[in-house]
Amino acid sequence: MITKSDVAKVFDTVLSIPGMSETVKIDLKISRKNVLLLSHFIEQGLLLEKDDSNLMGIVSEESLKDMKNISEECLQKASLVELNEKLQSLSLAFK
């Protein structure tokens, strides 16, 4: 049976493949609803506790920062920054 540590090693290996750090251009057309969802999923993923038993444990701080920037850029391009902020403050009110 494969362990969490083994899975983390596989992910680390895949992320270390030559060329994985190269920048690529992606032409992505998605609905505003999906931009909000994607941003939310990225934010929730960034809140996960870092430990070696999951992918978050092996991701560099630079990569995490890049993911945050991607989320913010998507919201800006979809003109959803203000709406997202209001939704976040609303969700905090219910916690």
Side-chain angles (χ1 to χ4, degrees):
M1 184 168 169
I2 191 165
T3 65
K4 289 182 179 181
S5 177
D6 292 334
V7 172
K9 288 177 186 175
V10 170
F11 276 122
D12 187 41
T13 302
V14 170
L15 295 176
S16 300
I17 294 172
M20 289 298 284
S21 295
E22 292 178 11
T23 303
V24 295
K25 182 177 173 106
I26 299 174
D27 182 18
L28 184 64
K29 295 180 191 236
I30 61 175
S31 68
R32 285 191 166 94
K33 174 181 84 172
N34 286 336
V35 170
L36 278 173
L37 289 171
L38 177 62
S39 176
H40 178 75
F41 294 150
I42 290 172
E43 291 295 322
Q44 291 301 306
L46 293 174
L47 294 175
L48 291 175
E49 188 172 320
K50 289 185 80 166
D51 65 45
D52 291 335
S53 67
N54 63 37
L55 181 58
M56 295 304 290
I58 60 171
V59 176
S60 70
E61 289 297 322
E62 181 181 348
S63 292
L64 296 175
K65 187 176 178 181
D66 287 344
M67 293 305 300
K68 175 79 172 152
N69 290 339
I70 289 168
S71 174
E72 291 172 357
E73 184 179 342
C74 288
L75 289 169
Q76 288 174 351
K77 287 184 176 184
S79 302
L80 294 171
V81 173
E82 188 175 344
L83 176 61
N84 187 58
E85 289 171 356
K86 289 180 180 183
L87 289 172
Q88 285 179 341
S89 66
L90 183 62
S91 68
L92 289 175
F94 287 106
K95 287 186 179 185

